[in-house]
């Protein structure tokens, strides 16, 4: 009779040792951040509390003037929130009534007298308050269609932003507090865009039919049809946040949108950490920098966004996000191309498009730093076509050190023996140029894994370049800590690709008539 009992006294680790396959792996040390006075910490919150921001003014406390737009009640509640944040605030209790872990959810130390940010956040002057009566908001959301509701609320708010933007001096950041009535009507709009049916105009239907016949090799020659111009059709206003950010680019002053109900979230300390970090950055400041990223390397994230955020929208545009030692830069590139005959349904660039996009990125880098980089690193959201590699190499001619990496999705999970998940910073080598990087996982510094799901690694599916895996994976982990829209320990993806989808959706909301020129500074998209 077969004995199915497990052998007694044999630890699980020993039983696993003889199993195949085996993989080479290594661990990347948690990247350090630079704060005031050149002091270092791996944790943004600890660093800010202990040393202040990277660009702290040693001569005194810098004022940050905030403009506020909202109902009278909303303005008052934000002022009260700002007043509460002057002094230390505890995170409170979780949904089960238990105290939150102080390592992952520390107290907010307050900002009064220059604490934490070395700045005073000011909104006391009535000159910087623009009140919108609730009745006007209610009229705006009375429209029948969701797009019309969003359009009317955006129009209402933009008039007040323009008034604050034209002041001398203007506020450094404009905070827009939206009432619960508006939140209930439009906060959810745009969440399920991928399942939405596309409505084409007659002109678009005609041109699409021509293309379909041409692709089949049937009946249409390129006679250069002149299609009669249509009357203007309302486009955009698919999601309030994205439309708000797109239309606010008409003005110089960056904006911060917040729902009035958010000011009463249970975990007030975490809300304050995230909100004041974002406000400090949007005011033109630098909360922290990365220690290991050299000033002479240009990091470029290349991705694509749909010009209309629907599931079957077929028009894609390339997008580059450029990061170095300074502020992040956003650039639009050429239209994407598709070729299913290559066994790849993802959008790609032509050789000329790839060359043009990287040239733009290098020009912006040189303008910001005064000199071209000595090394270029590209993070791309899909595989490279040979034409794309050729175009990128042409653009980087004369810059002999470069690494071109492509990211993919992996459904496979690796498990760690024991009770704790894989440690953040673990890298598993699957093959040449093919690595898994655990940007999520157990964080020794926080003594916990701050999630309830099994950690999902990032997969590098291609690596074209001479730098060792340790260097390129260390840079990826470092770039997960450049999310100035929050004060979290580290994001799940590097900043080069982390916000590509949201940035693309903001660009998709821009008017097609070119009346609004998209900003290049990253703070306008947050």
């Amino acid at each position: 009779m077969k004995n199915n009992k497990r052998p007694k006294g044999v630890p699980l680790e020993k039983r696993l040792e003889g199993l195949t396959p085996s993989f080479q792996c290594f661990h990347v040390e948690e990247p350090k951040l630079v704060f005031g006075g050149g002091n270092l910490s791996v944790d943004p919150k600890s660093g800010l509390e202990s040393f202040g921001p990277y660009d702290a003014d040693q001569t005194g406390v810098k004022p940050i003037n905030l403009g506020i737009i909202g109902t009278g009640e909303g303005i008052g509640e934000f002022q009260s929130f700002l007043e509460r944040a002057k002094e230390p605030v505890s995170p409170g209790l979780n949904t089960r009534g238990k105290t939150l872990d102080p390592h992952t959810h520390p107290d907010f130390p307050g900002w009064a007298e220059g604490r934490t940010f070395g700045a005073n956040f000011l909104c006391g002057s009535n000159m910087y308050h623009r009140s919108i009566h609730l009745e006007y908001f209610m009229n705006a959301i009375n429209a029948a269609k969701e797009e019309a509701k969003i359009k009317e609320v955006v129009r209402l708010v933009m008039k007040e932003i323009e008034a604050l933007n034209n002041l001398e001096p203007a506020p450094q950041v404009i905070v827009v507090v939206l009432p619960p009535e508006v939140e209930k009507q439009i906060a959810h709009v745009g969440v399920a865009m991928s399942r939405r049916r596309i409505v084409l105009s007659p002109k678009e239907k005609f041109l699409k039919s021509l293309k379909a016949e041409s692709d089949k090799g049937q009946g249409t020659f390129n006679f250069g049809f002149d299609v009669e111009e249509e009357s203007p059709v309302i486009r955009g206003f698919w999601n309030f946040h994205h439309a708000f950010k797109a239309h606010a680019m008409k003005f110089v002053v960056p904006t911060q949108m917040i729902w009035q109900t958010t000011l009463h979230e249970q975990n007030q300390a975490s809300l304050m950490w995230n909100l004041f970090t974002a406000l400090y950055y949007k005011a033109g400041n630098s909360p922290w920098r990365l220690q290991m990223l050299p000033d002479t390397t240009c990091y470029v994230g290349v991705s694509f966004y749909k010009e209309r955020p629907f599931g079957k929208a077929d028009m894609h545009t390339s997008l580059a996000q450029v990061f170095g030692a300074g502020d992040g830069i956003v650039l639009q590139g050429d239209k994407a191309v598709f070729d299913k005959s290559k066994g790849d349904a993802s959008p790609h660039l032509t050789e000329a498009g790839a060359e043009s996009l990287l040239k733009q990125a290098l020009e912006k880098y040189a303008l910001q730093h005064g000199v071209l980089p000595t090394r270029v690193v590209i993070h791309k959201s899909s595989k490279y076509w040979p034409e794309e590699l050729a175009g990128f190499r042409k653009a980087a001619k004369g810059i002999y050190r470069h690494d071109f990496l492509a990211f993919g999705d992996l459904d496979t999970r690796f498990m760690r023996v024991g009770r704790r998940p894989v440690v953040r910073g673990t890298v598993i080598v699957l093959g040449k140029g093919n690595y898994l990087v655990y940007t999520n996982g157990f964080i020794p510094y926080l003594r916990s894994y701050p999630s309830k799901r099994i950690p999902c690694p990032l997969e590098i599916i291609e690596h074209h370049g001479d730098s060792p895996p340790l260097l390129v994976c260390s840079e990826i982990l470092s770039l997960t800590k450049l999310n100035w829209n929050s004060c979290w320990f580290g994001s799940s993806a590097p900043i080069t690709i982390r916000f590509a989808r949201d940035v693309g959706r903001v660009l998709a909301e821009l008017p097609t008539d070119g009346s609004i020129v998209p900003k290049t500074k990253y703070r306008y998209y947050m």
Side-chain angles (χ1 to χ4, degrees):
M1 180 181 287
K2 187 176 179 180
N3 184 5
N4 291 322
K5 292 183 178 180
R6 294 182 181 178
K8 292 182 179 181
V10 181
L12 178 61
E13 292 90 338
K14 290 293 184 183
R15 297 205 301 274
L16 291 174
E17 282 179 1
L19 298 179
T20 56
S22 61
F23 300 91
Q24 178 191 353
C25 65
F26 57 89
H27 182 260
V28 175
E29 184 180 352
E30 188 64 47
K32 291 184 173 63
L33 304 173
V34 187
F35 295 92
N39 291 287
L40 304 176
S41 175
V42 297
D43 180 34
K45 294 171 184 171
S46 176
L48 286 170
E49 182 176 8
S50 300
F51 312 117
Y54 172 80
D55 59 356
D57 190 346
Q58 302 301 321
T59 61
V61 178
K62 64 177 72 172
I64 295 179
N65 291 304
L66 304 175
I68 314 177
I69 296 171
T71 62
E73 182 183 50
I75 291 174
E77 288 195 6
F78 183 78
Q79 287 179 300
S80 298
F81 175 83
L82 207 61
E83 192 67 25
R84 292 197 304 274
K86 282 185 175 181
E87 303 302 327
V89 174
S90 66
L93 307 176
N94 61 19
T95 54
R96 292 176 293 177
K98 294 183 178 181
T99 304
L100 290 165
D101 185 343
H103 295 289
T104 54
H105 300 283
D107 292 354
F108 180 70
W111 58 263
E113 300 175 355
R115 288 198 304 270
T116 313
F117 292 96
N120 284 335
F121 296 86
L122 308 174
C123 69
S125 174
N126 290 332
M127 178 177 71
Y128 291 146
H129 299 174
R130 300 291 298 186
S131 179
I132 301 175
H133 198 280
L134 181 60
E135 183 181 351
Y136 292 143
F137 278 120
M138 298 303 292
N139 290 337
I141 59 177
N142 269 340
K145 293 185 177 180
E146 292 174 333
E147 290 91 340
K149 293 178 182 181
I150 292 173
K151 181 180 179 181
E152 288 305 308
V153 175
V154 168
R155 182 188 61 79
L156 195 62
V157 172
M158 288 305 128
K159 289 171 61 178
E160 306 306 326
I161 290 179
E162 182 176 19
L164 290 175
N165 183 80
N166 291 337
L167 290 176
E168 288 290 345
Q172 288 153 281
V173 184
I174 296 173
V175 179
V176 179
V177 183
L178 292 160
E181 292 82 358
V182 174
E183 181 182 5
K184 289 176 184 177
Q185 289 290 320
I186 64 175
H188 66 284
V189 179
V191 174
M193 282 293 178
S194 61
R195 298 189 295 273
R196 193 165 176 176
R197 185 172 66 87
I198 305 171
V199 179
L200 299 177
S201 67
K203 174 182 175 181
E204 289 171 324
K205 287 180 181 178
F206 176 67
L207 293 176
K208 187 174 182 178
S209 67
L210 288 182
K211 184 179 185 304
E213 291 180 6
S214 177
D215 289 344
K216 294 176 184 177
Q218 297 177 357
T220 54
F221 297 91
N222 185 14
F223 291 125
F225 290 105
D226 290 326
V227 181
E228 184 178 352
E229 288 298 321
E230 303 169 352
S231 57
V233 179
I234 295 177
R235 301 292 187 190
F237 301 102
W238 296 300
N239 172 275
F240 178 75
H241 173 269
H242 305 326
F244 167 79
K245 287 293 180 179
H247 287 264
M249 287 188 198
K250 289 186 290 188
F251 312 111
V252 175
V253 182
T255 57
Q256 174 68 50
M257 190 202 92
I258 188 167
W259 301 111
Q260 191 173 324
T261 56
T262 303
L263 299 174
H264 303 285
E265 280 187 359
Q266 191 167 3
N267 187 349
Q268 288 278 291
S270 294
L271 171 62
M272 290 172 181
W273 274 117
N274 295 335
L275 181 59
F276 286 102
T277 298
L279 291 174
Y280 186 80
Y281 170 67
K282 290 179 181 183
N285 302 303
S286 180
W288 59 79
R289 292 281 179 91
L290 284 163
Q291 181 195 32
M292 74 156 289
L293 293 189
D295 293 345
T296 55
T297 298
C298 177
Y299 298 89
V300 183
V302 175
S303 55
F304 301 87
Y305 71 92
K306 295 178 181 179
E307 294 185 6
R308 283 181 291 186
F310 304 120
K312 294 183 180 179
D314 55 1
M315 290 297 292
H316 289 65
T317 300
S318 58
L319 168 70
Q321 297 180 85
V322 186
F323 294 88
D327 198 2
I329 297 171
V330 175
L331 299 171
Q332 282 178 292
D334 290 353
K335 303 291 183 187
V337 293
F338 295 84
D339 189 349
K340 294 182 180 179
S341 66
K342 295 185 178 182
D344 183 1
S346 302
H348 288 271
L349 286 166
T350 63
E351 181 176 330
E355 181 182 5
S356 173
L357 187 62
L358 185 54
K359 274 187 175 179
Q360 285 187 69
L362 294 174
E363 287 170 1
K364 292 293 183 182
Y365 179 96
L367 187 65
Q368 189 177 68
H369 294 81
V371 64
L372 283 170
T374 59
R375 177 169 168 256
V376 176
V377 178
I378 295 179
H379 292 167
K380 189 169 178 285
S381 58
S382 59
K383 291 182 177 180
Y384 291 92
W385 277 356
E387 299 91 330
E388 290 174 310
L389 288 171
F392 289 138
R393 285 170 177 146
K394 278 185 180 180
K397 186 178 181 180
I399 303 174
Y400 300 104
R401 298 175 60 220
H402 56 257
D403 291 281
F404 303 154
L405 292 90
F407 292 83
D409 295 321
L410 184 77
D411 292 330
T412 305
R413 302 288 187 273
F414 283 76
M415 310 298 290
R416 179 186 177 194
V417 174
R419 299 180 61 186
R420 291 172 175 170
V422 178
V423 177
R424 170 177 153 92
T426 298
V427 179
I428 299 171
V429 181
L430 301 181
K432 185 177 180 181
N434 188 194
Y435 328 116
L436 296 182
V437 185
Y438 273 88
T439 53
N440 288 324
F442 180 79
I443 302 173
Y445 180 87
L446 300 180
R447 307 178 193 177
S448 69
Y449 169 50
S451 181
K452 296 179 181 179
R453 298 182 179 181
I454 297 174
C456 180
L458 283 177
E459 183 182 11
I460 301 172
I461 54 178
E462 291 183 24
H463 175 199
H464 305 273
D466 298 325
S467 296
L470 177 60
L471 175 60
V472 296
C473 293
S474 296
E475 291 173 330
I476 289 170
L477 198 67
S478 294
L479 289 165
T480 66
K481 302 177 82 77
L482 278 189
N483 178 10
W484 294 300
N485 202 33
S486 76
C487 201
W488 181 233
F489 190 86
S491 299
S492 59
I495 193 70
T496 42
I497 61 172
R498 171 70 176 83
F499 289 109
R501 180 177 297 178
D502 285 342
V503 168
R505 287 177 175 173
V506 171
L507 292 172
E509 291 278 4
L510 289 170
T512 56
D513 60 5
S515 58
I516 300 177
V517 179
K519 303 286 191 192
T520 58
K521 293 291 182 68
Y522 191 63
R523 59 173 57 94
Y524 290 97
Y525 295 81
M526 293 168 52

